[in-house]
Amino acid sequence: GISITEMFKAHNTSLTYNDFNIFPGFIDFAVHAVDLTTHLTKKITIRAPLISSPMDTVTEHEMAITMACHLQLHGGIGIIHANFPTPADQANEVSKVKRYKQGFIISPQCIKSDDSVLDLFEIKQKFGFTGTPVTDTGKVGGKLLGLVTSRDIDFIKESRYKTTKISEVMVPRDRLITGGEELELPDAYNILEKEKKGKLPIVNANDELVALIARTDLKKSRDFPQSSYDKKGQLMVGAAINTRENSKKTVELLVEAGVDVLIIDSSNGASAYQVKLLKWIKETYSQVEVIAGNVVTMKQAKLLIDSGADALRIGMGSGSICITQEVMAVGRAQGSAVFQVARYARSRGVPVIADGGIRDVGYITKAISLGASTVMMGGLLAGTNEAPGEYFWGPNGLRLKKYRGMGSIDAMEAHSTSQDRYFTSDDAIKVAQGVTATMRDRGTCHKFLPYLIRGIQHGFQDIGVRSLNELHSKVYDGTIKFELRSQNAQLEGGVHSLHSYEKPMY
Ligand code: XMP
């Protein structure tokens, strides 16, 4: 095998994750002994090197909450996208993560009292819930009017689904047991247990619904242990901003909402706009960490580190939905970009994020082996329950969710903020740098994230290292060896020579 420096020196073309393998090392520890704690930025440490991308089909509050805290393992972090109608909407998503208390469902699916039982069945079919709060607006935040559960509609004949109103079957407000906003989880559990109820609506002083507590979630949450918490014990969350002049107002709102880290979201970080904004944020809000990018060269990295970046995001055109390299003729293969930028950033004490092109768990381990401290994923998370958007059935009978590039025409037309990432907001002629696609249903992140984490731990165990620090030190001092893969070797490394097989989703 060869050292990482030799591997990149020997090859005059760019390399990416698929072009190499890491040699196995000696195992004398259990897989659980692998500690994945890492630096997101100079000051922020997270327990798993996983970040969800600030894309409008990937990260809103639900994904961010799940990334930061999930069952039995440690936390990563979610970055709320910037493609909302107003900056206040984005700040509200940050607040939802900050206000999150384990076991509290803060965006429960609701229904109106004059909706029909048929409407309720549709909600049930789509979201699978068993107890639905009834509010005057049909949404969380509306006045609580009642609660309707499966038991309330058990005996209604199918022929009457359409004509029976929710108000006729629901348990009305005056017969409902509810909790106030200040209620703590153990007390909520006691109430549910004592009253033998499945759901406990939480209301504010105006009797508006603010959350729902589910007995089943509570049972699960008893063994929620380690998560990504800030100093106040709230979950950590990031948010993306763009380089427009009015971003300053957005930054103010996000900081007020308690954001821990901002990502300046741009396809090419080396711009006068980004440098100006970055310096302004660092001067104005010294407590907020700022991730700058995207970059793929050392020169870009130097510019942003000199301007105050607390971490860098690496990638240009390597994402699954990206067409930047084809349309702009600009970009870099992700392996070379991560190796070159990470090596330079390490010499300046700045952590880097490998952003895009992660197809499976092995790609995460490879990205880290090239020097990344964390890995950002879009496509890999887009088909999960926690990603925004609803599932739909594809023509081939598969359950699908939409996933779109932030530089796709679709996303740019949705809100102009998406255009700023690609410097096209003032232009009537749009040049797309991404596509709109679909992803297969991957189920819940509560299962998928533990799978990713355990998968990385297995990779580290095979390499013979117990932590990211150890991996990075041994990569840079040449102890860990790499080898390039020929095209035939790549074919051999994949599934081959079978009549048929089914690839596991994870
Ligand atoms: P994956 O491979 O995880 O990539 O799906 C997600 C990353 O891709 C970037 N991104 C884009 N790049 N055109 C691009 O060239 C786009 O429309 C686009 N949208 C997202 C972004 O860095 C994201 O984290």
Side-chain angles (χ1 to χ4, degrees):
I2 49 177
S3 74
I4 195 163
T5 327
E6 285 165 336
M7 179 165 80
F8 280 94
K9 213 190 274 166
H11 231 69
N12 249 344
T13 58
S14 54
L15 298 176
T16 197
Y17 303 133
N18 250 343
D19 291 317
F20 68 91
N21 270 327
I22 309 167
F23 274 11
F26 180 68
I27 303 173
D28 58 357
F29 53 89
V31 73
H32 299 93
V34 175
D35 179 3
L36 296 179
T37 304
T38 187
H39 275 282
L40 171 68
T41 63
K42 283 194 231 167
K43 287 199 200 131
I44 299 177
T45 303
I46 51 178
R47 313 196 69 130
L50 305 177
I51 311 177
S52 65
S53 178
M55 298 173 73
D56 60 7
T57 47
V58 181
T59 314
E60 292 182 357
H61 72 269
E62 209 179 333
M63 177 64 78
I65 288 169
T66 315
M67 289 300 297
C69 83
H70 60 86
L71 275 171
Q72 283 149 10
L73 286 157
H74 325 294
I77 192 164
I79 313 292
I80 307 284
H81 69 83
N83 214 16
F84 289 92
T86 68
D89 294 323
Q90 188 190 16
N92 193 30
E93 291 293 304
V94 170
S95 304
K96 283 184 187 168
V97 182
K98 286 292 169 188
R99 288 202 315 263
Y100 175 77
K101 290 201 253 172
Q102 239 147 49
F104 286 63
I105 306 163
I106 49 176
S107 297
Q109 203 58 44
C110 300
I111 195 161
K112 283 201 247 175
S113 57
D114 55 2
D115 283 341
S116 68
V117 170
L118 188 66
D119 295 322
L120 183 68
F121 272 106
E122 275 169 19
I123 291 180
K124 261 189 79 174
Q125 211 174 18
K126 256 194 216 157
F127 304 101
F129 300 139
T130 49
T132 308
V134 186
T135 65
D136 59 350
T137 56
K139 289 184 185 146
V140 68
K143 271 235 180 304
L144 184 66
L145 303 177
L147 184 81
V148 55
T149 68
S150 316
R151 267 184 256 164
D152 303 319
I153 49 175
D154 266 357
F155 296 108
I156 297 180
K157 288 203 186 99
E158 210 173 323
S159 57
R160 290 195 49 229
Y161 282 176
K162 213 171 167 177
T163 49
T164 310
K165 290 200 167 156
I166 294 298
S167 53
E168 298 169 47
V169 292
M170 70 184 189
V171 178
R173 174 68 186 97
D174 55 0
R175 288 195 2 238
L176 270 187
I177 294 168
T178 57
E181 271 183 298
E182 299 315 315
L183 193 73
E184 294 295 329
L185 215 50
D187 302 326
Y189 190 76
N190 287 341
I191 296 176
L192 287 174
E193 203 156 51
K194 193 167 138 240
E195 304 292 338
K196 304 209 176 342
K197 300 278 181 219
K199 296 275 155 68
L200 184 70
I202 303 295
V203 289
N204 63 18
N206 299 328
D207 212 34
E208 290 153 347
L209 180 77
V210 291
L212 188 69
I213 295 184
R215 193 187 176 90
T216 43
D217 285 353
L218 275 184
K219 278 200 220 141
K220 275 190 254 160
S221 74
R222 271 184 283 177
D223 38 40
F224 262 80
Q226 294 150 312
S227 308
S228 294
Y229 290 122
D230 66 11
K231 286 185 192 124
K232 283 193 247 157
Q234 296 172 326
L235 293 180
M236 281 206 283
V237 61
I241 49 168
N242 51 59
T243 49
R244 261 207 246 177
E245 195 48 35
N246 66 5
S247 284
K248 290 185 177 173
K249 182 73 204 153
T250 311
V251 171
E252 199 182 307
L253 291 174
L254 292 170
V255 172
E256 240 170 63
V259 78
D260 297 281
V261 58
L262 294 169
I263 284 199
I264 307 183
D265 195 15
S266 175
S267 59
N268 178 355
S271 75
Y273 320 110
Q274 172 143 178
V275 168
K276 198 170 150 200
L277 182 66
L278 175 56
K279 285 184 175 165
W280 176 82
I281 303 173
K282 290 308 297 178
E283 277 159 20
T284 321
Y285 299 101
S286 54
Q287 80 277 24
V288 178
E289 294 280 281
V290 187
I291 300 171
N294 279 23
V295 297
V296 290
T297 68
M298 282 191 263
K299 200 169 169 186
Q300 289 175 303
K302 181 175 183 322
L303 173 75
L304 295 178
I305 293 176
D306 288 346
S307 308
D310 298 302
L312 293 175
R313 187 173 164 208
I314 305 171
M316 192 174 194
S318 55
S320 57
I321 31 54
C322 303
I323 52 173
T324 296
Q325 293 182 11
E326 281 168 52
V327 179
M328 303 292 150
V330 177
R332 193 171 196 182
Q334 187 67 346
S336 299
V338 173
F339 170 66
Q340 301 293 358
V341 175
R343 192 172 52 162
Y344 171 71
R346 184 180 167 90
S347 74
R348 305 277 311 266
V350 174
V352 299
I353 302 169
D355 170 24
I358 301 297
R359 297 190 212 179
D360 209 333
V361 61
Y363 288 66
I364 302 177
T365 306
K366 283 187 172 182
I368 297 170
S369 79
L370 297 183
S373 292
T374 51
V375 170
M376 181 178 276
M377 297 158 294
L380 214 60
L381 301 171
T384 60
N385 295 359
E386 290 77 9
E390 283 167 23
Y391 289 107
F392 57 92
W393 292 102
N396 41 10
L398 292 176
R399 203 162 174 249
L400 305 170
K401 234 184 203 190
K402 182 164 152 178
Y403 176 46
R404 67 183 178 194
M406 295 305 282
S408 63
I409 294 288
D410 200 19
M412 288 198 284
E413 279 179 351
H415 296 294
S416 66
T417 41
S418 191
Q419 298 168 23
D420 295 317
R421 185 169 205 270
Y422 302 93
F423 305 95
T424 64
S425 48
D426 302 324
D427 199 341
I429 304 169
K430 302 280 173 253
V431 180
Q433 291 195 42
V435 297
T436 298
T438 54
M439 300 305 284
R440 259 182 85 173
D441 174 8
R442 261 188 213 279
T444 172
C445 274
H446 288 299
K447 282 193 181 156
F448 188 48
L449 292 175
Y451 157 79
L452 290 182
I453 289 171
R454 183 68 83 243
I456 305 167
Q457 287 175 313
H458 275 291
F460 274 46
Q461 189 193 38
D462 264 341
I463 298 169
V465 291
R466 293 166 192 249
S467 68
L468 268 88
N469 255 346
E470 189 182 351
L471 174 59
H472 285 163
S473 311
K474 289 187 171 166
V475 162
Y476 286 113
D477 74 13
T479 314
I480 290 172
K481 300 291 185 205
F482 294 80
E483 189 170 71
L484 289 164
R485 310 212 280 174
S486 67
Q487 267 187 359
N488 279 323
Q490 288 178 33
L491 286 177
E492 185 186 67
V495 178
H496 61 85
S497 320
L498 308 173
H499 168 60
S500 68
Y501 80 103
E502 201 173 318
K503 193 169 185 254
M505 276 303 279
Y506 58 85

